[in-house]
Amino acid sequence: MKNLANHPDGFGIAAVERDTGLPKDTLRVWERRYGFPQPLRDANGERVYPAAQVDKLRLIRRLLDQGLRPSRIVAASTDELAQLLEASPEAAPPAAPAGWNTLLAFMQRQDGAALQRALQQSLLKQGLQRFLTDTLTPLTDAVGQAWLRGELNVAGEHLYTEQVHNVLRGAIANHGGHGGAPSILLTTFPNELHSLGLLMAEAMFAPEGAHCTSLGTQTPLADIEHAATQGGIDVVALSFSAAYPPRQAVEGLNTLRARLPASIALWAGGLAVREQQRKLPGIRVIADLHDGIAALAEWRAAHPA
Amino acid sequence: MKNLANHPDGFGIAAVERDTGLPKDTLRVWERRYGFPQPLRDANGERVYPAAQVDKLRLIRRLLDQGLRPSRIVAASTDELAQLLEASPEAAPPAAPAGWNTLLAFMQRQDGAALQRALQQSLLKQGLQRFLTDTLTPLTDAVGQAWLRGELNVAGEHLYTEQVHNVLRGAIANHGGHGGAPSILLTTFPNELHSLGLLMAEAMFAPEGAHCTSLGTQTPLADIEHAATQGGIDVVALSFSAAYPPRQAVEGLNTLRARLPASIALWAGGLAVREQQRKLPGIRVIADLHDGIAALAEWRAAHPA
DNA sequence: GCTTTCATTTTGTCCTGGACAAAATTTGTA
DNA sequence: TACAAATTTTGTCCAGGACAAAATGAAAGC
């Protein structure tokens, strides 16, 4: 029972794990292999990480999520890291609609009410589906970019996610077309906690008259199977964010495909599976929200009432 | 990169940590000291926990949370544990409202629409705050219990969480009293992904005229600090589920208290901190939803407009 | 009686350094 | 160009030792 001591001006390894998401084992092995981080030690020989090193670890984590490899970046200097971050891909922000800077400003100063009002206005003006494809998709992208560049902190991003949730759930409730076909079960695999894609899919399908049941994120495979066969489900739809390991996605999807009866369709959407169609026989890969509508039309053509 | 593989009919130590909330180190040291759990080993000598042992660990976790000591229970037989659980408090399910069995049945057969309708009806009949205290709190407890006893699978629990989210977000949007005082920032620490408590707190505060800003779950400490000082926040409110390690909660809260200006109040609610008031100087521990209202009243008494 | 102080046991977390399989990358081949 | 095999990188796991914080029990003071 070590941990409670407030190391003055430093963090214990558990605190760093909590803050950066990097497991203790990984922190120790990096220290051994790359010489960073190099924490101080307290009287008892335990690691004490100065705030500066924790900040750098957070930066490293961002770059890792972008696909860079630890050997390239863990030992690099802070300046080099900043450069890499600048030079990151996706340099083409797709035709930023007017007013985006305003929205980003709301996030920066934590003004949730104003942000929600603005989103709600867009929704009313465009209608749900165009709001999704023309506003939310590129805006979410832009928010991710801004966070990556350090222009937006985590709190701002969380605020955005939260308000999008509010707006979309409200919109879905209004469109509540219960009883239609097909009956779609939406969820994600364990370790995938990005719920926005899921919600956007639901918001796309619901107004088309499909009967959506969302289980939220992180449903174990066995439970997806059980829920689908129990609940009279026609389609199981899974969402994968860009951060999800593609191989895990492919493996899990094929396993699930084998366990589900052939009468239940399996759809997979999101960046992690976009290019994987040929490794996913019997599974409908959904390229984007428009393609989701197409998949729905296909299903209905194949299953006349 | 071990862990991701599907051990047929067993769980790796990381999966058990995720499932039970017991850290890897603790699992290993229990095995050494008490002889339980006693996982099998795979070809590589790594622990593989059979499902039965994981279930028992969950039971043990539950009893630990009630104050029993590991030496008494870790080595005990499953029957003894079941007895202890029966004999424990909470033996009095507070006057189970009629119709609960119906609700559980909806969850068991994945009927989200019916579940949502029933919840909505309760909400209309009782009003938001009584719905929270008299229905949702005990019902959530009952759902947890049912899951613990294996009467409800993960999918059913997810479905419940999802529908409660829908109902509460809708209700909060209706009560939307923007602009009131105090301005409350709601979130959780990293590793705490239980969002229900957070949402329930928001639903309790919002109709009282407070200005709530929720950041969702898992906001790093530094970002909470930043958001609070940036956004003109009066109160930072953190939520902790029963599963959150109390030590981590106490440590994080005290650190945050030290970093926040004294003018910003810090509130902590949830089972993990309920008994920790004396370790949390300068922090208002909120025992339950009623006490939240009390805390709000206190704050207003101390800060006359 | 009750609370406070001190000694003892219990318990969770951290340590080192080694090992290895899964993932990513590079190289070789049809 | 696409696929298969060899290689490197990387995260996670293991053992068993250590120790401080927490919980418990005993002793002493009011």
Side-chain angles (χ1 to χ4, degrees):
Chain A
M1 283 141 160
K2 298 280 187 55
N3 183 16
L4 296 182
N6 270 338
H7 289 121
D9 221 45
F11 303 81
I13 195 168
V16 175
E17 175 179 35
R18 189 163 53 61
D19 258 41
T20 65
L22 298 166
K24 299 190 244 283
D25 275 325
T26 301
L27 291 169
R28 287 193 273 250
V29 87
W30 280 4
E31 183 180 342
R32 212 193 304 169
R33 287 184 185 149
Y34 311 118
F36 183 88
Q38 205 142 46
L40 312 171
R41 298 294 179 131
D42 67 5
N44 189 33
E46 299 189 355
R47 292 171 174 81
V48 178
Y49 295 83
Q53 292 193 23
V54 179
D55 290 341
K56 191 170 166 189
L57 283 170
R58 253 194 236 98
L59 203 65
I60 289 173
R61 184 139 197 329
R62 284 189 210 164
L63 290 166
L64 280 185
D65 286 343
Q66 285 233 312
L68 292 180
R69 311 199 63 193
S71 56
R72 291 279 159 87
I73 56 175
V74 175
S77 75
T78 305
D79 286 348
E80 289 173 290
L81 292 182
Q83 278 190 334
L84 285 170
L85 204 55
E86 282 303 315
S88 66
E90 313 202 29
W100 271 17
N101 288 335
T102 322
L103 289 180
L104 282 174
F106 290 154
M107 296 173 214
Q108 273 154 359
R109 68 175 133 92
Q110 317 294 334
D111 191 342
L115 180 57
Q116 181 165 357
R117 233 175 292 127
L119 290 172
Q120 202 76 53
Q121 239 165 29
S122 262
L123 169 60
L124 284 176
K125 209 184 296 178
Q126 301 182 297
L128 180 52
Q129 294 183 327
R130 277 196 50 228
F131 173 65
L132 284 165
T133 55
D134 296 0
T135 299
L136 231 41
T137 304
L139 182 57
T140 302
D141 236 57
V143 168
Q145 290 286 320
W147 171 72
L148 209 66
R149 289 200 219 94
E151 293 165 18
L152 190 63
N153 61 5
V154 178
E157 206 204 6
H158 279 207
L159 192 73
Y160 171 73
T161 307
E162 189 73 8
Q163 300 308 337
V164 171
H165 262 260
N166 278 334
V167 170
L168 284 187
R169 286 196 193 243
I172 292 169
N174 285 344
H175 276 273
H178 296 305
S183 184
I184 305 179
L185 184 77
L186 295 122
T187 189
T188 74
F189 282 160
N191 290 338
E192 168 65 78
L193 26 75
H194 225 267
S195 59
L196 224 46
L198 207 56
L199 201 60
M200 287 169 70
E202 186 178 355
M204 206 69 186
F205 292 142
E208 293 288 325
H211 175 29
C212 293
T213 303
S214 176
L215 295 182
T217 56
Q218 305 211 81
T219 307
L221 213 135
D223 295 282
I224 298 175
E225 179 197 352
H226 184 258
T229 50
Q230 270 319 61
I233 294 296
D234 300 309
V235 177
V236 174
L238 280 299
S239 167
F240 299 88
S241 72
Y244 199 84
R247 296 182 110 101
Q248 245 183 83
V250 169
E251 187 200 342
L253 282 167
N254 282 320
T255 307
L256 184 59
R257 176 67 282 175
R259 289 210 221 160
L260 282 178
S263 62
I264 297 180
L266 185 51
W267 296 357
L271 292 174
V273 293
R274 192 187 266 177
E275 316 268 302
Q276 313 281 341
Q277 176 69 77
R278 84 206 145 77
K279 292 185 196 163
L280 295 170
I283 297 167
R284 175 64 158 88
V285 173
I286 294 181
D288 55 34
L289 289 173
H290 287 298
D291 196 33
I293 303 291
L296 198 57
E298 286 164 26
W299 187 92
R300 283 177 171 154
H303 298 78
Chain B
M1 282 135 155
K2 298 277 188 61
N3 177 22
L4 307 177
N6 278 333
H7 283 123
D9 219 45
F11 303 82
I13 194 169
V16 176
E17 175 179 36
R18 188 166 55 61
D19 259 40
T20 65
L22 297 165
K24 300 189 245 286
D25 275 325
T26 301
L27 290 170
R28 285 193 275 251
V29 89
W30 280 4
E31 185 181 341
R32 210 194 308 165
R33 287 182 187 152
Y34 312 117
F36 183 88
Q38 205 144 48
L40 311 172
R41 300 296 179 129
D42 67 5
N44 188 34
E46 298 190 355
R47 292 172 174 80
V48 178
Y49 295 83
Q53 293 193 23
V54 179
D55 291 342
K56 190 169 167 189
L57 284 170
R58 256 197 294 275
L59 206 63
I60 290 172
R61 181 70 165 55
R62 184 85 187 183
L63 290 167
L64 278 185
D65 286 343
Q66 303 210 340
L68 293 180
R69 309 200 67 193
S71 55
R72 291 282 159 88
I73 55 175
V74 175
S77 76
T78 306
D79 286 347
E80 290 173 289
L81 293 183
Q83 277 189 335
L84 287 169
L85 199 57
E86 284 304 316
S88 69
E90 314 200 26
W100 270 18
N101 287 334
T102 321
L103 289 179
L104 282 173
F106 290 155
M107 296 173 213
Q108 273 155 359
R109 69 175 133 94
Q110 317 294 332
D111 191 342
L115 180 57
Q116 181 165 358
R117 230 175 297 126
L119 291 172
Q120 201 76 52
Q121 239 165 30
S122 263
L123 169 60
L124 283 175
K125 209 183 295 180
Q126 301 182 296
L128 180 51
Q129 293 183 328
R130 277 196 47 226
F131 174 64
L132 285 165
T133 55
D134 297 359
T135 299
L136 232 41
T137 305
L139 182 57
T140 303
D141 237 57
V143 169
Q145 291 283 327
W147 172 72
L148 208 70
R149 289 200 220 95
E151 294 165 16
L152 191 65
N153 63 2
V154 179
E157 205 202 7
H158 279 208
L159 191 72
Y160 171 72
T161 307
E162 190 73 9
Q163 300 309 337
V164 172
H165 261 259
N166 278 333
V167 171
L168 284 187
R169 286 195 192 243
I172 292 169
N174 286 345
H175 276 272
H178 297 304
S183 185
I184 305 180
L185 184 77
L186 294 121
T187 191
T188 74
F189 281 160
N191 289 340
E192 170 62 82
L193 24 75
H194 225 265
S195 57
L196 224 45
L198 206 56
L199 202 59
M200 287 170 69
E202 186 177 356
M204 208 70 189
F205 291 142
E208 293 287 323
H211 177 27
C212 293
T213 303
S214 175
L215 295 183
T217 55
Q218 305 210 78
T219 308
L221 214 135
D223 294 281
I224 297 174
E225 178 196 353
H226 185 258
T229 50
Q230 274 312 66
I233 294 296
D234 300 309
V235 177
V236 173
L238 280 299
S239 166
F240 298 89
S241 71
Y244 199 85
R247 286 156 240 285
Q248 253 185 68
V250 169
E251 187 201 348
L253 283 167
N254 281 320
T255 307
L256 185 58
R257 175 68 283 178
R259 290 211 221 158
L260 283 178
S263 61
I264 297 181
L266 185 52
W267 298 355
L271 291 175
V273 292
R274 193 187 264 177
E275 313 269 301
Q276 314 280 342
Q277 176 69 79
R278 89 204 143 81
K279 293 182 197 163
L280 295 169
I283 297 168
R284 174 65 158 88
V285 172
I286 294 181
D288 54 34
L289 289 173
H290 287 296
D291 195 34
I293 303 292
L296 198 59
E298 285 164 26
W299 187 93
R300 283 178 171 152
H303 298 77

